Amino acid sequence: MTTFERFAKCPICEKRTVLRVPPNVLDKAKRFPYQVKVKHEDHYFYINLDSQAWITDILHPDLVE
């Protein structure tokens, strides 16, 4: 399987970025949406993925932690 490429706008710095989602990232998912922590430059944010690895939400860390 190939890596999925998804585009997202970082909620911290507002830059558009390409996220490379490995196909096995959903192997650990027991339910959906599945939340993934994304490291971006010197900060991070969270994304929720559906069962097809599409982004359903982009979350600021303050909303999650």
Side-chain angles (χ1 to χ4, degrees):
M1 294 184 105
T2 61
T3 300
F4 304 111
E5 287 191 351
R6 305 291 186 241
F7 296 92
K9 184 176 177 184
C10 176
I12 307 294
C13 67
E14 303 287 319
K15 291 181 185 174
R16 186 173 172 189
T17 184
V18 177
L19 303 176
R20 288 173 180 82
V21 181
N24 62 347
V25 74
L26 297 177
D27 290 349
K28 297 184 281 184
K30 293 183 179 159
R31 60 185 226 188
F32 296 96
Y34 183 66
Q35 196 165 84
V36 178
K37 185 176 184 177
V38 176
K39 179 158 176 33
H40 183 242
E41 297 177 359
D42 62 345
H43 53 274
Y44 62 91
F45 60 95
Y46 292 87
I47 59 171
N48 286 344
L49 299 174
D50 69 8
S51 61
Q52 302 298 311
W54 288 104
I55 298 172
T56 60
D57 290 307
I58 300 171
L59 306 167
H60 192 284
D62 291 345
L63 295 173
V64 178
E65 299 171 348

